[in-house]
Amino acid sequence: PRPVGGPVRFRTIASAAGALTLLLAIPASAATPTPGAPGIGDPYYPTYGNGGYDVGHYDLRLTYQPKTDALQGTATVLATTTQDLSRFDLDFALGVDSVLVNNHPAKFTESPAAHKLQITPDAPLAKGSDVTVVVRYHGVPSKVVVDGFTSWQRTPDGAVAANEPESAWWWFPSNDHPLDKATYDISVEVPTGDQVISNGVPTGQSTDIKGWTRYDWRQAKPQATYLATMAIGKFDVTKGTTAGGIPVINAYSTALGDATGAAKASVERTGEVIDWESTYFGPYPFATVGGYVPDTTSDFALETETRPFYSPTMFSSGSDVSVVVHELAHQWFGDSVSLKRWQDIWLNEGFATYAQWLWSQYQGEGTAQQLADYVYASHPAGDAFWKIEPGNPGAANQFADPIYDRGAAAIQTLRDTVGDKAFFTILKAWTAQHAYGNADFAQFQALAEKVSGKKLGPLFTTWLFTPARPATGPVAPGTK
Ligand code: ARG
Ligand code: ZN
């Protein structure tokens, strides 16, 4: 069948007499529609994301009952096809009730253990057409195990969706890879008395007579799927602005207990940190900022866009502004400028860690150079630390220490090699040139070489792509 909705080109043929014009309708695409690939093509995670379309917007309208961990709702996904498409996949693991494609019921096959929902529209979709996919679904996310685990975190008073790289398929159908960024409207209904925290700005709140309250949030700038977040629970919400005028919304579980003071003493400094980071990284890329600390037992923080997630354990022994500096640096490095492939995770974690080193120096504590020297000195040759290449760590080591510390030491070595002026120019050029987009390591090296006028291949090979300790520490050749 002819692809539905495709552009039709009209070819004008003038007759010899010049008086007669024929209009012939010719289908734009003669290609046979084929299935979209069940993976976006990331060598580290071959099954993550999908081919054949590009999502522009997710609209999630959900209802969550904390007592039973029951999540249900409707996802409306606005996408554009990138090929003539006979069928396509979304990454998803909850139960699907129905699927509409362009308002027509579509056939679907669920493979929750493989996090795939395969959708076959009633007619093929032509390349370049706008598609509206409506998925009605329900499930108990904490019971859904994919690849041996669930990243959905139930809490005593609610739940949290926050993890990297896997979190989306426990709560909404998506093209689950940073290459396909989109805007979001996230609307969640919860029992009245509970609250919902998510990305971006709150756009509405309404309570019905049956005891439910709906919270609406909007992130109008592109966001990778793993950076979408939602937390349900009882929160103490604080509001303010940065000195630069960006609205700040923070949320703390009311159940943090003794750690409440330390959590607030850290996350309440978000505005100060954002203004300080802007002087190094360029204008803050989003319309709002903040952070949230739910009542979880997990042990990590995550740069969920505009509103990082912090486990309470981050603050169990006292305040930690450095972790706030790290997650907020990711708003530039990872969230605005996103990875094209997970192999380049160093581009996220190295720079977020380097921001912590700059902050340390700003606080009058160890300088970035001292911290880099310490990383080098504290791991002798032969230490397993040097076996992991930050530039190609393998999926299993994606969040191992060397990605952070050796990655940041590589950045200090770059700075030592090109000088401060070129170094800070590179940082701002990087975040400006790729704002709201995706970029990879080769592009970073090209930019750094262009700005500095130096060939940097050997430096990056030594610090990022060699499974051994560099022969010399993080200083410019001949300067120390
Ligand atoms: N990007 C996060 C960070 O800022 C890494 C989180 C990884 N840990 C996890 N449990 N998913 O460090
Ligand atoms: Zn990080």
Side-chain angles (χ1 to χ4, degrees):
R2 187 175 78 76
V4 174
V8 172
R9 292 193 200 113
F10 290 92
R11 181 178 291 175
T12 305
I13 300 175
S15 71
L20 188 68
T21 300
L22 286 177
L23 291 177
L24 300 178
I26 298 168
S29 171
T32 310
T34 50
I40 210 165
D42 190 317
Y44 275 29
Y45 298 101
T47 66
Y48 289 22
N50 306 285
Y53 63 92
D54 188 86
V55 178
H57 183 74
Y58 294 95
D59 182 287
L60 312 179
R61 190 175 171 88
L62 311 176
T63 298
Y64 184 72
Q65 173 51 265
K67 282 197 192 83
T68 55
D69 193 36
L71 179 69
Q72 64 178 73
T74 302
T76 302
V77 182
L78 306 182
T80 306
T81 52
T82 55
Q83 67 181 65
D84 290 316
L85 209 49
S86 58
R87 60 162 208 251
F88 60 94
D89 288 352
L90 286 164
D91 292 286
F92 198 45
L94 298 185
V96 174
D97 305 310
S98 67
V99 178
L100 296 176
V101 176
N102 295 338
N103 300 301
H104 294 248
K107 288 202 187 73
F108 60 91
T109 307
E110 297 169 80
S111 310
H115 59 81
K116 291 295 179 187
L117 170 64
Q118 186 185 88
I119 298 171
T120 306
D122 68 347
L125 306 167
K127 178 179 179 176
S129 36
D130 293 336
V131 184
T132 303
V133 184
V134 177
V135 180
R136 290 193 172 79
Y137 61 93
H138 68 275
V140 177
S142 60
K143 294 226 160 73
V144 176
V145 175
V146 182
D147 293 336
F149 77 105
T150 174
S151 81
W152 180 261
Q153 306 175 49
R154 261 190 106 173
T155 63
D157 63 353
V160 183
N163 197 42
E164 180 184 10
E166 307 91 355
S167 81
W169 55 61
W170 284 277
W171 65 291
F172 67 99
S174 77
N175 193 19
D176 199 4
H177 192 279
L179 254 184
D180 192 355
K181 298 164 75 167
T183 57
Y184 285 73
D185 277 307
I186 297 176
S187 171
V188 189
E189 183 184 56
V190 292
T192 297
D194 291 338
Q195 289 145 285
V196 181
I197 306 299
S198 187
N199 310 93
V201 294
T203 50
Q205 183 182 325
S206 57
T207 298
D208 72 10
I209 52 169
K210 291 184 202 148
W212 291 84
T213 299
R214 175 172 293 284
Y215 292 81
D216 303 325
W217 293 84
R218 168 169 294 165
Q219 171 54 331
K221 294 289 189 203
Q223 171 169 282
T225 44
Y226 80 98
L227 298 171
T229 191
M230 161 173 82
I232 292 121
K234 292 188 169 56
F235 293 97
D236 176 5
V237 175
T238 66
K239 294 185 180 180
T241 55
T242 69
I246 298 154
V248 183
I249 301 172
N250 298 320
Y252 308 88
S253 167
T254 56
L256 294 182
D258 292 351
T260 302
K264 287 189 175 172
S266 313
V267 180
E268 286 300 305
R269 293 181 67 183
T270 290
E272 175 195 353
V273 171
I274 279 290
D275 284 336
W276 172 80
E277 289 184 336
S278 302
T279 67
Y280 286 106
F281 307 148
Y284 177 68
F286 305 118
T288 179
V289 70
Y292 72 94
V293 190
D295 185 19
T296 64
T297 54
S298 58
D299 193 17
F300 65 99
L302 184 66
E303 61 268 25
T304 39
E305 196 156 292
T306 71
R307 198 148 289 109
F309 156 86
Y310 303 96
S311 292
T313 54
M314 298 289 114
F315 313 110
S316 56
S317 61
S319 66
D320 185 358
V321 183
S322 190
V323 70
V324 175
V325 169
H326 181 105
E327 303 313 332
L328 293 177
H330 275 309
Q331 302 305 309
W332 286 265
F333 296 94
D335 294 14
S336 175
V337 184
S338 299
L339 303 179
K340 281 184 178 170
R341 46 175 201 175
W342 283 109
Q343 180 189 324
D344 288 332
I345 187 67
W346 162 82
L347 286 171
N348 289 3
E349 302 306 341
F351 284 97
T353 303
Y354 197 74
Q356 295 176 273
W357 293 4
L358 291 172
W359 177 261
S360 169
Q361 182 160 356
Y362 176 61
Q363 297 306 299
E365 298 172 8
T367 66
Q369 183 69 59
Q370 286 170 336
L371 291 165
D373 291 345
Y374 178 77
V375 167
Y376 186 74
S378 59
H379 297 286
D383 192 329
F385 178 86
W386 300 110
K387 293 238 154 59
I388 293 173
E389 301 169 36
N392 191 10
N397 292 321
Q398 205 183 339
F399 299 106
D401 287 350
I403 317 313
Y404 294 71
D405 295 343
R406 185 176 169 180
I411 291 165
Q412 179 62 40
T413 306
L414 171 67
R415 180 178 169 185
D416 290 334
T417 303
V418 303
D420 277 8
K421 189 159 174 290
F423 177 73
F424 290 109
T425 301
I426 291 164
L427 293 190
K428 282 202 173 117
W430 180 250
T431 58
Q433 284 176 11
H434 302 291
Y436 311 120
N438 297 81
D440 61 20
F441 170 73
Q443 290 172 292
F444 183 77
Q445 181 176 337
L447 174 68
E449 292 187 339
K450 188 165 173 246
V451 171
S452 68
K454 291 194 153 82
K455 283 276 163 227
L456 300 167
L459 182 162
F460 288 127
T461 299
T462 301
W463 279 91
L464 300 174
F465 298 98
T466 302
R469 189 176 192 246
T472 54
V475 290
T479 60
K480 210 178 182 180

